[in-house]
Amino acid sequence: LRNSLGIGTGDTPVFTGVNLGDDALNDYKVGSWTPALNVLGGSGTIQYGVQDGTYTRIGNQVFLRFDLSLTSIASRTGAIEGLTGLPITSVSSPVMVAGGGAASHWSGFSTAASGEGIHLWVEDGATTMKVYSNDSDSTLSETLITEFSADGRLWGSIAYEV
C-alpha cells in the first residue's frame, strides 16, 4: 500500500509526482523512548515492571504515549519532579508551557488523587514531563512518590510543541 501511494519506506514520507514547495512535510519521525520517574528525595533505585514509550513527530508537534508500572519505590520520598527522557526537547518560548495531556489510567495511588485526575505538561525548553494531581479539595499539587504503592501504574499521552 505504501508504494502504491508513492510513499517511501523510511521515516519520512515521499510523495511521488507531488511538489509541495514550502509546505512539504520535512519533519516526520516515529520512535520509542524510555520514561522514568525523577523523584526529588530519598535514596535507592525505583524498579519498573513496564517502562515503555512511543512518539510521533509531525512538523513542530510531538505526540507521545507512555506506560509505567512500578515494582519498588525503594526509599524514595518527596515530589515526583516529572517523567524524564522525552525524546525531543520542547520549544523554548515565553509561553512557559509547550504542551500537555492527561494520564488515561492510574492505579496504586494511596490518596484522593486516584479519583481526581493526574495532569501532565511539558514546560518550555524541557525534556521532562511534569506530573501533578488534584487532591480532595481539587487543589493542583505535585504528585508525591509516596502516593504510589509499590505496584503503582501510570499511563497516558501528551502533545507538545518543538
PDB file of all heavy atoms in Angstrom, residues 11-32:
ATOM      1  N   ASP A  11      11.335   6.743   7.483  1.00  0.00           N
ATOM      2  CA  ASP A  11      10.538   7.505   8.433  1.00  0.00           C
ATOM      3  C   ASP A  11       9.886   8.732   7.806  1.00  0.00           C
ATOM      4  O   ASP A  11       8.914   9.255   8.319  1.00  0.00           O
ATOM      5  CB  ASP A  11      11.409   7.985   9.601  1.00  0.00           C
ATOM      6  CG  ASP A  11      11.709   6.877  10.593  1.00  0.00           C
ATOM      7  OD1 ASP A  11      11.019   5.839  10.540  1.00  0.00           O
ATOM      8  OD2 ASP A  11      12.632   7.054  11.391  1.00  0.00           O
ATOM      9  N   THR A  12      10.441   9.228   6.693  1.00  0.00           N
ATOM     10  CA  THR A  12       9.921  10.435   6.065  1.00  0.00           C
ATOM     11  C   THR A  12       9.123  10.066   4.824  1.00  0.00           C
ATOM     12  O   THR A  12       9.633   9.400   3.930  1.00  0.00           O
ATOM     13  CB  THR A  12      11.076  11.378   5.666  1.00  0.00           C
ATOM     14  OG1 THR A  12      11.840  11.662   6.832  1.00  0.00           O
ATOM     15  CG2 THR A  12      10.554  12.658   5.065  1.00  0.00           C
ATOM     16  N   PRO A  13       7.836  10.480   4.759  1.00  0.00           N
ATOM     17  CA  PRO A  13       7.035  10.177   3.571  1.00  0.00           C
ATOM     18  C   PRO A  13       7.607  10.838   2.320  1.00  0.00           C
ATOM     19  O   PRO A  13       8.096  11.963   2.383  1.00  0.00           O
ATOM     20  CB  PRO A  13       5.664  10.775   3.904  1.00  0.00           C
ATOM     21  CG  PRO A  13       5.665  11.019   5.362  1.00  0.00           C
ATOM     22  CD  PRO A  13       7.082  11.211   5.762  1.00  0.00           C
ATOM     23  N   VAL A  14       7.547  10.134   1.223  1.00  0.00           N
ATOM     24  CA  VAL A  14       7.970  10.666  -0.064  1.00  0.00           C
ATOM     25  C   VAL A  14       6.799  10.509  -1.014  1.00  0.00           C
ATOM     26  O   VAL A  14       6.347   9.397  -1.270  1.00  0.00           O
ATOM     27  CB  VAL A  14       9.199   9.891  -0.613  1.00  0.00           C
ATOM     28  CG1 VAL A  14       9.572  10.418  -1.992  1.00  0.00           C
ATOM     29  CG2 VAL A  14      10.361   9.983   0.344  1.00  0.00           C
ATOM     30  N   PHE A  15       6.277  11.628  -1.506  1.00  0.00           N
ATOM     31  CA  PHE A  15       5.125  11.590  -2.393  1.00  0.00           C
ATOM     32  C   PHE A  15       5.607  11.783  -3.820  1.00  0.00           C
ATOM     33  O   PHE A  15       6.110  12.840  -4.180  1.00  0.00           O
ATOM     34  CB  PHE A  15       4.116  12.673  -2.003  1.00  0.00           C
ATOM     35  CG  PHE A  15       3.581  12.481  -0.609  1.00  0.00           C
ATOM     36  CD1 PHE A  15       4.133  13.152   0.469  1.00  0.00           C
ATOM     37  CD2 PHE A  15       2.540  11.605  -0.379  1.00  0.00           C
ATOM     38  CE1 PHE A  15       3.644  12.960   1.748  1.00  0.00           C
ATOM     39  CE2 PHE A  15       2.044  11.402   0.902  1.00  0.00           C
ATOM     40  CZ  PHE A  15       2.597  12.082   1.962  1.00  0.00           C
ATOM     41  N   THR A  16       5.445  10.754  -4.622  1.00  0.00           N
ATOM     42  CA  THR A  16       5.927  10.762  -5.995  1.00  0.00           C
ATOM     43  C   THR A  16       5.059  11.678  -6.853  1.00  0.00           C
ATOM     44  O   THR A  16       3.833  11.597  -6.816  1.00  0.00           O
ATOM     45  CB  THR A  16       5.890   9.331  -6.563  1.00  0.00           C
ATOM     46  OG1 THR A  16       6.616   8.484  -5.681  1.00  0.00           O
ATOM     47  CG2 THR A  16       6.494   9.275  -7.948  1.00  0.00           C
ATOM     48  N   GLY A  17       5.703  12.558  -7.628  1.00  0.00           N
ATOM     49  CA  GLY A  17       4.991  13.411  -8.569  1.00  0.00           C
ATOM     50  C   GLY A  17       4.260  14.577  -7.928  1.00  0.00           C
ATOM     51  O   GLY A  17       3.451  15.225  -8.579  1.00  0.00           O
ATOM     52  N   VAL A  18       4.502  14.868  -6.671  1.00  0.00           N
ATOM     53  CA  VAL A  18       3.833  15.975  -5.995  1.00  0.00           C
ATOM     54  C   VAL A  18       4.884  16.976  -5.545  1.00  0.00           C
ATOM     55  O   VAL A  18       5.857  16.610  -4.900  1.00  0.00           O
ATOM     56  CB  VAL A  18       3.035  15.477  -4.764  1.00  0.00           C
ATOM     57  CG1 VAL A  18       2.401  16.635  -4.030  1.00  0.00           C
ATOM     58  CG2 VAL A  18       1.993  14.458  -5.189  1.00  0.00           C
ATOM     59  N   ASN A  19       4.694  18.242  -5.873  1.00  0.00           N
ATOM     60  CA  ASN A  19       5.604  19.287  -5.434  1.00  0.00           C
ATOM     61  C   ASN A  19       4.874  20.185  -4.449  1.00  0.00           C
ATOM     62  O   ASN A  19       4.015  20.959  -4.826  1.00  0.00           O
ATOM     63  CB  ASN A  19       6.116  20.105  -6.629  1.00  0.00           C
ATOM     64  CG  ASN A  19       7.123  21.161  -6.205  1.00  0.00           C
ATOM     65  OD1 ASN A  19       7.445  21.300  -5.022  1.00  0.00           O
ATOM     66  ND2 ASN A  19       7.616  21.906  -7.180  1.00  0.00           N
ATOM     67  N   LEU A  20       5.212  20.062  -3.164  1.00  0.00           N
ATOM     68  CA  LEU A  20       4.549  20.847  -2.126  1.00  0.00           C
ATOM     69  C   LEU A  20       5.277  22.150  -1.823  1.00  0.00           C
ATOM     70  O   LEU A  20       4.778  22.972  -1.058  1.00  0.00           O
ATOM     71  CB  LEU A  20       4.433  20.021  -0.845  1.00  0.00           C
ATOM     72  CG  LEU A  20       3.594  18.750  -0.959  1.00  0.00           C
ATOM     73  CD1 LEU A  20       3.671  17.952   0.333  1.00  0.00           C
ATOM     74  CD2 LEU A  20       2.156  19.069  -1.307  1.00  0.00           C
ATOM     75  N   GLY A  21       6.460  22.343  -2.386  1.00  0.00           N
ATOM     76  CA  GLY A  21       7.214  23.569  -2.155  1.00  0.00           C
ATOM     77  C   GLY A  21       7.479  23.796  -0.678  1.00  0.00           C
ATOM     78  O   GLY A  21       7.930  22.908   0.038  1.00  0.00           O
ATOM     79  N   ASP A  22       7.165  24.997  -0.200  1.00  0.00           N
ATOM     80  CA  ASP A  22       7.407  25.353   1.196  1.00  0.00           C
ATOM     81  C   ASP A  22       6.509  24.599   2.169  1.00  0.00           C
ATOM     82  O   ASP A  22       6.740  24.608   3.370  1.00  0.00           O
ATOM     83  CB  ASP A  22       7.220  26.855   1.402  1.00  0.00           C
ATOM     84  CG  ASP A  22       8.326  27.658   0.742  1.00  0.00           C
ATOM     85  OD1 ASP A  22       9.400  27.071   0.479  1.00  0.00           O
ATOM     86  OD2 ASP A  22       8.118  28.855   0.498  1.00  0.00           O
ATOM     87  N   ASP A  23       5.441  23.973   1.678  1.00  0.00           N
ATOM     88  CA  ASP A  23       4.521  23.250   2.548  1.00  0.00           C
ATOM     89  C   ASP A  23       4.898  21.779   2.711  1.00  0.00           C
ATOM     90  O   ASP A  23       4.134  21.002   3.274  1.00  0.00           O
ATOM     91  CB  ASP A  23       3.087  23.342   1.997  1.00  0.00           C
ATOM     92  CG  ASP A  23       2.569  24.766   2.044  1.00  0.00           C
ATOM     93  OD1 ASP A  23       2.922  25.486   3.002  1.00  0.00           O
ATOM     94  OD2 ASP A  23       1.833  25.159   1.132  1.00  0.00           O
ATOM     95  N   ALA A  24       6.058  21.388   2.232  1.00  0.00           N
ATOM     96  CA  ALA A  24       6.492  19.992   2.330  1.00  0.00           C
ATOM     97  C   ALA A  24       6.646  19.592   3.797  1.00  0.00           C
ATOM     98  O   ALA A  24       7.095  20.364   4.630  1.00  0.00           O
ATOM     99  CB  ALA A  24       7.818  19.790   1.603  1.00  0.00           C
ATOM    100  N   LEU A  25       6.246  18.375   4.072  1.00  0.00           N
ATOM    101  CA  LEU A  25       6.400  17.816   5.418  1.00  0.00           C
ATOM    102  C   LEU A  25       7.826  17.293   5.533  1.00  0.00           C
ATOM    103  O   LEU A  25       8.151  16.234   5.023  1.00  0.00           O
ATOM    104  CB  LEU A  25       5.395  16.689   5.638  1.00  0.00           C
ATOM    105  CG  LEU A  25       5.460  15.960   6.973  1.00  0.00           C
ATOM    106  CD1 LEU A  25       5.207  16.921   8.122  1.00  0.00           C
ATOM    107  CD2 LEU A  25       4.453  14.829   7.004  1.00  0.00           C
ATOM    108  N   ASN A  26       8.689  18.072   6.179  1.00  0.00           N
ATOM    109  CA  ASN A  26      10.090  17.682   6.234  1.00  0.00           C
ATOM    110  C   ASN A  26      10.532  17.248   7.633  1.00  0.00           C
ATOM    111  O   ASN A  26      11.692  16.969   7.839  1.00  0.00           O
ATOM    112  CB  ASN A  26      10.990  18.799   5.710  1.00  0.00           C
ATOM    113  CG  ASN A  26      10.790  20.084   6.476  1.00  0.00           C
ATOM    114  OD1 ASN A  26      10.131  20.110   7.504  1.00  0.00           O
ATOM    115  ND2 ASN A  26      11.346  21.166   5.960  1.00  0.00           N
ATOM    116  N   ASP A  27       9.636  17.218   8.592  1.00  0.00           N
ATOM    117  CA  ASP A  27       9.958  16.744   9.933  1.00  0.00           C
ATOM    118  C   ASP A  27       8.917  15.719  10.365  1.00  0.00           C
ATOM    119  O   ASP A  27       7.918  16.058  10.996  1.00  0.00           O
ATOM    120  CB  ASP A  27       9.985  17.897  10.949  1.00  0.00           C
ATOM    121  CG  ASP A  27      11.289  18.643  10.950  1.00  0.00           C
ATOM    122  OD1 ASP A  27      12.326  17.983  10.781  1.00  0.00           O
ATOM    123  OD2 ASP A  27      11.267  19.864  11.134  1.00  0.00           O
ATOM    124  N   TYR A  28       9.156  14.481  10.012  1.00  0.00           N
ATOM    125  CA  TYR A  28       8.277  13.396  10.427  1.00  0.00           C
ATOM    126  C   TYR A  28       9.157  12.288  10.975  1.00  0.00           C
ATOM    127  O   TYR A  28      10.122  11.877  10.341  1.00  0.00           O
ATOM    128  CB  TYR A  28       7.453  12.862   9.257  1.00  0.00           C
ATOM    129  CG  TYR A  28       6.533  11.735   9.652  1.00  0.00           C
ATOM    130  CD1 TYR A  28       5.289  11.992  10.193  1.00  0.00           C
ATOM    131  CD2 TYR A  28       6.924  10.411   9.499  1.00  0.00           C
ATOM    132  CE1 TYR A  28       4.455  10.955  10.577  1.00  0.00           C
ATOM    133  CE2 TYR A  28       6.092   9.368   9.887  1.00  0.00           C
ATOM    134  CZ  TYR A  28       4.856   9.651  10.423  1.00  0.00           C
ATOM    135  OH  TYR A  28       4.039   8.631  10.810  1.00  0.00           O
ATOM    136  N   LYS A  29       8.838  11.839  12.175  1.00  0.00           N
ATOM    137  CA  LYS A  29       9.649  10.792  12.776  1.00  0.00           C
ATOM    138  C   LYS A  29       8.800  10.005  13.763  1.00  0.00           C
ATOM    139  O   LYS A  29       7.950  10.570  14.445  1.00  0.00           O
ATOM    140  CB  LYS A  29      10.851  11.411  13.499  1.00  0.00           C
ATOM    141  CG  LYS A  29      11.848  10.399  14.009  1.00  0.00           C
ATOM    142  CD  LYS A  29      13.086  11.070  14.553  1.00  0.00           C
ATOM    143  CE  LYS A  29      14.074   9.988  14.950  1.00  0.00           C
ATOM    144  NZ  LYS A  29      15.321  10.510  15.437  1.00  0.00           N
ATOM    145  N   VAL A  30       9.034   8.713  13.834  1.00  0.00           N
ATOM    146  CA  VAL A  30       8.410   7.861  14.838  1.00  0.00           C
ATOM    147  C   VAL A  30       9.516   7.128  15.587  1.00  0.00           C
ATOM    148  O   VAL A  30      10.594   6.900  15.046  1.00  0.00           O
ATOM    149  CB  VAL A  30       7.420   6.841  14.220  1.00  0.00           C
ATOM    150  CG1 VAL A  30       6.255   7.547  13.563  1.00  0.00           C
ATOM    151  CG2 VAL A  30       8.120   5.946  13.206  1.00  0.00           C
ATOM    152  N   GLY A  31       9.249   6.813  16.836  1.00  0.00           N
ATOM    153  CA  GLY A  31      10.272   6.124  17.597  1.00  0.00           C
ATOM    154  C   GLY A  31       9.791   5.729  18.974  1.00  0.00           C
ATOM    155  O   GLY A  31       8.607   5.838  19.301  1.00  0.00           O
ATOM    156  N   SER A  32      10.726   5.280  19.773  1.00  0.00           N
ATOM    157  CA  SER A  32      10.413   4.883  21.144  1.00  0.00           C
ATOM    158  C   SER A  32      11.268   5.703  22.107  1.00  0.00           C
ATOM    159  O   SER A  32      12.276   6.282  21.711  1.00  0.00           O
ATOM    160  CB  SER A  32      10.662   3.392  21.340  1.00  0.00           C
ATOM    161  OG  SER A  32      12.018   3.084  21.110  1.00  0.00           O
TER     162      SER A  32
END
